Amino acid sequence: MASNAPVGKPTDMSSPRLPKVAGIDSTVPAPPHTVAPLPGVPSAAPPSDAALPPGVLIQDRLASWVSDLTTLHELTERLIKTDSLDGALREMLGAGAALVGARRGMAVLEPADGLGPTSTIGLGLAHADLGTIETVPRGSGSYGRLLDGLSEADPPGAGLPGNGPTAPRRPARVPEPIAIRDVRTEEGLDPRHREVAARLGYAASYALPLATEEAGRLGAAVWLYDEPAEPDERRRHLIGLYGRFATEHLARLLQVERARARVATVAEELLPSRLPRVPGVRLAVRHLTGPQGGGDWYDALPLPEGALGLAVGSVSGTGPSALAAMGRLRASLRAYAVMEGEDPVAVLSDLELLLRLTEPARSATALFAYAESAQRRIVLAGAGHAPPLVVGDHRTEFVETSLSAPLGMLTCWEAPSVELSPAPGETVLLYTDGLLRRTGDATDRAFARLHAAASSVPRADRSDPGAVADHVLRTLLPGGLDPAVEGEDVVLLAARFE
């Protein structure tokens, strides 16, 4: 019946509507400034989306934004999983190539402060190709222009009063990206630039500064097109957002890399710069350290009456504090070894007392050997340390040492020493626990693997203690010591008796 038909507002509400997106009503009136075409003049063909309802346009735009945000989220998630400068640069290059629509590219890491490190990474370019690109005069190449432009910018804090450690920083000026749509027709390019582009087969490039106002200049990236092209406004926007995030991530990795380098330098300075030369004994050492630097150490020092002191040890903890404790412990052991080195038990007892008095919260392991090379006689004692391994043509066996607690664990440390006489041509291996634990095996299996590795040293290499140490390391740790993986250091000291 007519009386039951809906009228007024209910009729409007029941009319067909496009679905809502993100809470936005898809029924949007036409813009008020839209005017009808002039009479008698044919109207221009509307854009492809002009005939679509306004709600569909909004949905398309929202879908495009969501797609872009999803892409950036996925790419940045992949980037933050990288933990090295080289890995981050390679990931950034690949992601940037996808964003700008290129196939090849290169990234140049060149921090503005000049403290390094510097490197050049290629995507789809061989090492020789990178060298060819670097022959282009720096002022003509797009990445070179970006780096030089950033170099000429004011350094942070320049021109401000009280320029010092607490002075406010002036944000660095960041230049705009450089797009060369067609290398053949671009004005102002050096002829060498066109020649290299023709040789490598690229026709256009897009260069992005790896710099932000806070991080300053870290470098630049350039992507190469096979045909004349340049990214549109949307792609430029996306690569700009990604580039800023990548630069901040690279800045953090740069700080970590420099910190690791400083720790490694300190560790090297705290250890012997070279091994002594003692008649009748040939020495070799291998020291592998983790990213934060551990407390593993070694020493070899000449003692009175032609004797030789050999020591390896490990201090609990990592980082600068462990390195400092390691340096103090090693220096103390050297002093005790000079005074009473012929008695290794007395040396370690004095060391234990010093550790308890000066650093009661820290423990350490140590092994000290007093060697008389002329008599091929060794007296040694260990505190919580793994037993040495003797490697020769006729035997490969661990030295039977007494069990004892690490230094700093007992109120009074003392354990009996042991004596051994290596045969001519035999090598004694002293090592830290890190060599066993880095294998990832249980202790008994790690010892068995170490014994098997030492037994398998080729006969031709047994006359060289360095070759013996290298073979053992390659066998136990075939992939080497990953510097990005936290873990204990590895020390392997080899002494071959003639």
Side-chain angles (χ1 to χ4, degrees):
M1 297 179 61
S3 59
N4 294 329
V7 295
K9 192 170 184 179
T11 303
D12 295 338
M13 294 177 63
S14 61
S15 60
R17 288 171 176 259
L18 294 172
K20 292 185 178 183
V21 178
I24 299 177
D25 191 343
S26 58
T27 305
V28 180
H33 60 267
T34 302
V35 297
L38 294 175
V41 178
S43 60
S48 59
D49 58 357
L52 298 176
V56 176
L57 295 179
I58 292 179
Q59 292 182 46
D60 289 345
R61 290 178 182 176
L62 287 176
S64 176
W65 293 340
V66 170
S67 175
D68 290 345
L69 289 175
T70 302
T71 299
L72 284 176
H73 175 74
E74 292 176 352
L75 294 178
T76 53
E77 282 291 315
R78 291 174 53 179
L79 180 65
I80 61 177
K81 292 179 181 179
T82 59
D83 53 9
S84 66
L85 284 173
D86 185 80
L89 287 172
R90 294 187 185 280
E91 175 62 31
M92 182 271 302
L93 266 183
L99 291 175
V100 302
R103 188 172 60 90
R104 295 179 291 173
M106 62 180 291
V108 179
L109 183 67
E110 190 177 298
D113 56 15
L115 299 179
T118 61
S119 64
T120 301
I121 304 295
L123 173 68
L125 297 171
H127 184 72
D129 298 334
L130 297 176
T132 302
I133 293 176
E134 291 176 348
T135 64
V136 176
R138 190 177 175 97
S140 177
S142 53
Y143 76 90
R145 287 155 59 187
L146 287 177
L147 294 177
D148 291 342
L150 286 166
S151 299
E152 295 170 359
D154 291 337
L160 296 180
N163 188 13
T166 60
R169 289 186 58 184
R170 171 185 294 172
R173 296 195 299 269
V174 179
E176 295 295 324
I178 298 177
I180 300 178
R181 179 174 177 78
D182 193 339
V183 176
R184 295 170 298 180
T185 60
E186 183 80 11
E187 296 182 359
L189 293 185
D190 189 274
R192 178 60 181 170
H193 193 163
R194 304 185 201 276
E195 178 184 344
V196 168
R199 178 181 301 179
L200 299 182
Y202 70 88
S205 65
Y206 185 76
L208 182 76
L210 299 178
T212 63
E213 293 181 351
E214 293 301 324
R217 182 201 83 185
L218 299 184
V222 57
W223 291 274
L224 308 176
Y225 297 89
D226 297 338
E227 301 292 338
E230 63 179 331
D232 56 22
E233 182 179 356
R234 173 174 166 268
R235 289 180 179 271
R236 288 176 182 248
H237 179 65
L238 289 177
I239 191 60
L241 293 175
Y242 181 79
R244 285 193 288 273
F245 180 87
T247 300
E248 295 295 341
H249 182 62
L250 288 170
R252 291 189 290 270
L253 291 178
L254 181 63
Q255 294 178 355
V256 173
E257 185 72 19
R258 289 177 172 177
R260 290 175 178 173
R262 288 193 292 268
V263 168
T265 300
V266 172
E268 291 176 0
E269 292 297 325
L270 291 175
L271 295 174
S273 58
R274 59 189 180 92
L275 297 175
R277 294 183 177 181
V278 177
V281 182
R282 294 176 59 192
L283 301 174
V285 68
R286 300 294 184 264
H287 181 210
L288 307 178
T289 183
Q292 293 188 1
D296 287 16
W297 54 275
Y298 64 91
D299 206 349
L301 67 156
L303 295 176
E305 300 180 359
L308 174 67
L310 300 175
V312 291
S314 177
V315 176
S316 61
T318 59
S321 63
L323 290 176
M326 176 265 284
R328 292 191 291 269
L329 203 67
R330 173 178 168 267
S332 301
L333 184 139
R334 291 176 69 92
Y336 298 145
V338 170
M339 292 186 294
E340 46 193 7
E342 68 279 359
D343 185 359
V345 172
V347 172
L348 294 185
S349 297
D350 293 343
L351 198 63
E352 203 276 340
L353 177 61
L354 176 71
L355 189 68
R356 283 194 293 109
L357 294 177
T358 60
E359 300 186 58
R362 195 180 297 277
S363 63
T365 65
L367 186 147
F368 177 73
Y370 178 82
E372 296 175 312
S373 57
Q375 293 79 22
R376 291 194 303 277
R377 172 179 173 269
I378 300 177
V379 181
L380 61 87
H385 210 82
L389 182 62
V390 179
V391 182
D393 293 336
H394 305 290
R395 63 169 176 167
T396 299
E397 59 185 25
F398 290 101
V399 177
E400 294 185 3
T401 58
S402 59
L403 296 176
S404 70
L407 301 175
M409 300 293 290
L410 302 177
T411 56
C412 181
W413 180 92
E414 185 171 344
S417 60
V418 296
E419 183 175 330
L420 67 146
S421 299
E426 289 187 330
T427 300
V428 179
L429 296 179
L430 310 181
Y431 52 93
T432 58
D433 293 340
L435 178 63
L436 303 174
R437 293 176 181 169
R438 281 281 188 170
T439 63
D441 295 324
T443 303
D444 55 346
R445 174 157 177 76
F447 274 114
R449 288 185 57 188
L450 174 59
H451 186 277
S455 300
S456 64
V457 175
R459 186 174 298 272
D461 292 339
R462 295 192 177 186
S463 60
D464 183 0
V468 173
D470 290 335
H471 177 85
V472 171
L473 288 176
R474 284 196 306 267
T475 306
L476 287 182
L477 306 173
L481 191 66
D482 188 350
V485 176
E486 294 292 343
E488 296 188 55
D489 292 356
V490 173
V491 168
L492 183 57
L493 178 61
R496 184 182 189 276
F497 289 81
E498 304 293 345

